[in-house]
Amino acid sequence: MKKKRSTKQSFIQGTLILLAAGIINRILGFIPRITLPRIIGAEGVGIYQLGYPFMLVVITFITGGIPLAVSKLVAEADAVNDHRRSKQILNNSLLFSVTAGILLSGLCLILAPWITTYILTDKRVYYTFMMMTPIIVLVSVSSVLRGYFQGKQNMIPTAASQVAETVIRIVTMIGCAYLFLPYGLEWAAAGAMLGVVIGEFAGLLVLWLELRSSRKQEMEQSKPNNFSSEQSHDDDTISPAQREQPKEWRNLFKIAIPVTGGKLIGSLSYLLESIAIARSLAVAGVSTAVATAQYGILQGMIIPVLTLPGALTYSLAVSLVPSLSEAYGRKDMQTIRKRLHQAIRLALVSGAPFAVIMFVLAAPLCAILYNDPSVGSMLRWMAPVAIFIYIQAPLQAALQALDRPGTALTNTLIGAILKLALIVQLASIPALGIKGAVIAICINIIVVTSMHAYMVMRSLKLKLPWLDFLKVITAMIIMAAITQYLYIHAPLGALPMVARFILASLIGIASYIALLIFMKLVDRSDMSRMPMIGRWFNDKAA
C-alpha cells in the first residue's frame, strides 16, 4: 500500500515557498520592466499602463473576493476532513468565474472603441486594450484554482504557476514589443500586452495540470473504498449535495462580496487616479503626451521598484488567511496573535533595508535600471512610506480572515476618497505637477495602513510590536548613514557607479543584519523555522 504523500505545509513553510517564488518572479519580472522603457520609452510604457486600471476594475469585479472565499471555505472544510465540500466549493467558484469572465470579456470587446475614447485619456491605448481582454477569463479561472490550493495550505502549485507565468511573459512580452515597434508606439505597447496574455495562459496551464494530478492522487488513495461507497451511498450523496448547494453559494458570496467591494474600491480608485492625474496635469499646463509619459514613469517604473520587497508581504498575506481561518475556526486566539505578530515582524524587518536603499541611492538605482537618474527624485519621495506598504498586506489579510472584510472595505474607501481629493488639489498646481500625485498616494498608504492596524489591535486586543518598530527604525538610520557614506566617500568613491552601488548596498544590508542580531530581532527560533538549515538550529537549541 502506498503511503499518503502530504501536500499541506505549515504557515512558515507555505510563506517561504511563496516567498521564494515571489522573489524569483520579482527579479525576473524586472527584466521587462528594465527592457521595455528602453525599447518603447516612457511614453510607450504610459500607453501600456493606461489600459490596466480599467481592466483591473473588470477583473476585480469577478475575482476580487472569490479566491479568498475559496481559500477560507476550503481550509474550514479540510479542518473537518470534508473533501466533498471542498470539491463542491471549487466547482461552484469555477462556474461563476468562467461565466462572468466570458460575459465581461465580450462586453469589453464590444465597448472597446467607446471606453478608449471617452473613459481613458489617450486614444492610442485602443490596441493594447483589445489585446488584454482575454486576460479576464484567464485570471478568473487561475485565481479560483490558486485559492483552492491555498485553502488546502499547498502553496507549491501557486508558486509553480507564478514562476511559469513570469518566465513565459518575459520572453513573449519583450519579443512581441520589439516585433510590433515598427508599426508605432501604440502597436508596440499592444505587443507587450500580448506577451502578458500568453504568460497568464502558461500560468493557468500549470495550475490546471496540478489540479488534475491532485485529483488523480486523491482517486488512487480512495480506490479500495470506491465500490462500496458508490453502492451504499449512491442514493444518499446526491440529494444532500443538492440541498447543500444554496448554502454553499451563500457562504461563498457572504465572504466574497465584502472583499470584492473592498478591492473594487481599490481598483476604481486606481482607474479614477489615472484619469484624475491626467486631468490635473492638463490643468497644470502639461500636454497629453508628457502626462502619459509621467504616468508611465510613476506606474510603470517607480511603483514596481517600490513594491519589489512586497514579494514577502504577498506571501505572508496569502499564507496568513488559511492559517488564521483555521485557528479562528478553533477559537485559538493565542495562535492567531502569534501568527499575526510573526507576519508583521517579518514584513517590517525584511522590507526596511530596501526602503533605505531606495531613499539613499534613488538616483543611481534608477540610472542602473532605466538609464535615467532624474526618475530617482520621484522614488525618493515615495521610499519613506514603503514600510507602510509592506505591513499593510498582512494587516488586511488578518481582517479578512477574522470575518472583518467590511472593515477593510471601509478603510480602503476612506483612503481612496482622500487620495483622489488630494490628487485633484495637488497635481493641478504647476509647481508640483506629478509630485502632487505622489504626495497624495503616499498619504493614502499611511492612512489606510494606520486604520487597518488600529482595527486589528482592537479586534484581537493585540499590542503591536512597538519596540520592534523602534529597533528597526534605529537600524535603518544607521544603515542609511553607512550606505550613503560608502557610496559618496572613500574607499568606494573612485569606483564606477554600478560597483559603488552594489558594494554600498551589500555592506549597508550586512550592517543592518548585524544590528538586527545585536538587538535580538532575529534569533535561533526564527532560524529553526527555515527549511534545510532549521534542523541544525533545533539540534543546537536542544
Side-chain angles (χ1 to χ4, degrees):
M1 182 178 173
K2 284 186 179 180
K3 188 179 178 181
K4 184 177 177 180
R5 182 172 62 92
S6 176
T7 57
K8 185 175 179 179
Q9 298 103 31
S10 70
F11 168 65
I12 293 294
Q13 288 172 334
T15 300
L16 289 170
I17 289 168
L18 289 178
L19 174 59
I23 291 172
I24 293 169
N25 289 341
R26 298 290 174 125
I27 293 172
L28 291 177
F30 251 86
I31 296 173
R33 293 286 186 185
I34 296 167
T35 309
L36 201 61
R38 295 170 186 263
I39 296 174
I40 63 178
E43 192 176 349
V45 172
I47 296 169
Y48 168 80
Q49 288 287 339
L50 274 174
Y52 260 120
F54 185 90
M55 196 58 62
L56 193 60
V57 170
V58 177
I59 291 171
T60 303
F61 182 76
I62 306 172
T63 67
I66 293 292
L68 183 118
V70 172
S71 175
K72 183 171 169 42
L73 292 173
V74 168
E76 290 174 355
D78 263 27
V80 292
N81 294 319
D82 191 346
H83 301 298
R84 189 184 69 181
R85 186 184 171 214
S86 295
K87 188 176 179 181
Q88 191 175 349
I89 292 164
L90 175 63
N91 292 338
N92 289 349
S93 306
L94 284 174
L95 176 63
F96 169 78
S97 296
V98 170
T99 304
I102 292 171
L103 289 174
L104 287 176
S105 292
L107 197 61
C108 284
L109 286 171
I110 294 168
L111 297 177
W114 183 84
I115 292 167
T116 53
T117 302
Y118 296 104
I119 296 181
L120 305 180
T121 56
D122 195 323
K123 293 180 182 179
R124 293 175 296 174
V125 78
Y126 173 78
Y127 299 111
T128 304
F129 188 86
M130 292 290 286
M131 285 289 189
M132 70 169 62
T133 49
I135 290 178
I136 299 173
V137 179
L138 297 175
V139 172
S140 298
V141 178
S142 62
S143 63
V144 169
L145 295 179
R146 283 175 180 147
Y148 173 75
F149 283 117
Q150 288 157 12
K152 287 185 169 292
Q153 298 187 46
N154 179 12
M155 306 303 171
I156 293 173
T158 297
S161 68
Q162 287 173 346
V163 173
E165 184 269 327
T166 301
V167 172
I168 299 299
R169 175 167 50 85
I170 289 169
V171 177
T172 54
M173 190 177 175
I174 295 171
C176 292
Y178 184 78
L179 288 173
F180 285 34
L181 184 59
Y183 302 101
L185 278 181
E186 58 267 40
W187 275 106
M193 187 55 66
L194 177 61
V196 174
V197 174
I198 296 170
E200 287 288 349
F201 178 77
L204 174 58
L205 185 62
V206 170
L207 284 168
W208 191 257
L209 292 173
E210 288 280 0
L211 181 65
R212 288 186 61 186
S213 174
S214 173
R215 284 186 167 176
K216 185 178 178 182
Q217 185 183 344
E218 287 176 2
M219 287 174 65
E220 286 176 354
Q221 289 166 358
S222 61
K223 266 182 184 178
N225 301 319
N226 274 353
F227 181 77
S228 59
S229 64
E230 281 176 11
Q231 280 208 318
S232 58
H233 297 293
D234 189 52
D235 295 328
D236 298 332
T237 56
I238 295 174
S239 55
Q242 289 174 338
R243 287 196 300 270
E244 288 292 316
Q245 281 284 353
K247 182 183 175 183
E248 290 302 338
W249 282 107
R250 283 196 301 272
N251 289 337
L252 189 69
F253 288 117
K254 182 182 176 183
I255 300 168
I257 289 173
V259 176
T260 299
K263 291 191 175 181
L264 201 56
I265 289 169
S267 301
L268 282 168
S269 168
Y270 186 28
L271 173 60
L272 294 174
E273 173 191 313
S274 66
I275 297 170
I277 289 173
R279 309 284 184 196
S280 300
L281 290 177
V283 171
V286 180
S287 67
T288 301
V290 174
T292 300
Q294 289 183 343
Y295 183 77
I297 290 169
L298 176 61
Q299 292 294 342
M301 298 163 75
I302 299 302
I303 297 295
V305 174
L306 199 70
T307 56
L308 178 62
L312 174 65
T313 56
Y314 167 78
S315 309
L316 287 169
V318 170
S319 299
L320 203 58
V321 171
S323 178
L324 291 187
S325 297
E326 191 175 4
Y328 188 65
R330 301 192 308 265
K331 303 299 180 186
D332 185 356
M333 302 308 290
Q334 184 177 354
T335 298
I336 290 172
R337 293 190 186 99
K338 179 183 176 183
R339 290 284 178 262
L340 190 54
H341 185 274
Q342 285 175 338
I344 293 171
R345 189 175 63 161
L346 280 169
L348 183 67
V349 165
S350 61
F354 295 98
V356 171
I357 291 170
M358 287 185 285
F359 181 78
V360 175
L361 303 179
L365 176 59
C366 291
I368 294 167
L369 293 177
Y370 306 120
N371 198 28
D372 189 355
S374 64
V375 175
S377 61
M378 201 182 293
L379 178 61
R380 186 174 288 111
W381 276 75
M382 299 195 74
V385 302
I387 292 296
F388 289 89
I389 296 174
Y390 306 148
I391 65 173
Q392 187 179 116
L395 290 170
Q396 183 160 324
L399 288 172
Q400 291 165 349
L402 300 174
D403 289 333
R404 299 293 300 271
T407 302
L409 186 152
T410 303
N411 295 347
T412 305
L413 177 59
I414 293 169
I417 293 170
L418 178 63
K419 177 178 67 173
L420 292 171
L422 288 172
I423 286 174
V424 172
Q425 290 295 318
L426 299 176
S428 57
I429 300 173
L432 287 177
I434 193 68
K435 285 185 179 178
V438 170
I439 293 169
I441 292 169
C442 290
I443 292 172
N444 163 261
I445 292 165
I446 293 170
V447 169
V448 173
T449 304
S450 300
M451 288 193 294
H452 282 355
Y454 172 75
M455 294 310 300
V456 168
M457 289 167 64
R458 197 175 79 169
S459 299
L460 295 175
K461 296 181 174 59
L462 177 75
K463 291 183 179 179
L464 285 179
W466 297 113
L467 184 60
D468 289 352
F469 278 95
L470 185 61
K471 289 178 179 179
V472 170
I473 290 169
T474 303
M476 288 173 70
I477 293 170
I478 296 172
M479 176 189 166
I482 293 171
T483 305
Q484 187 170 28
Y485 176 81
L486 289 172
Y487 182 78
I488 297 173
H489 303 289
L492 305 181
L495 295 175
M497 181 187 67
V498 175
R500 273 187 294 151
F501 175 84
I502 293 172
L503 288 172
S505 299
L506 290 176
I507 295 171
I509 291 172
S511 65
Y512 172 81
I513 293 171
L515 287 165
L516 293 186
I517 295 170
F518 176 75
M519 292 186 287
K520 298 182 179 178
L521 268 172
V522 177
D523 55 25
R524 180 169 291 160
S525 66
D526 296 317
M527 299 303 296
S528 67
R529 298 188 185 99
M530 300 294 287
M532 297 177 68
I533 64 170
R535 186 180 301 175
W536 187 84
F537 281 92
N538 277 329
D539 292 341
K540 287 286 182 181

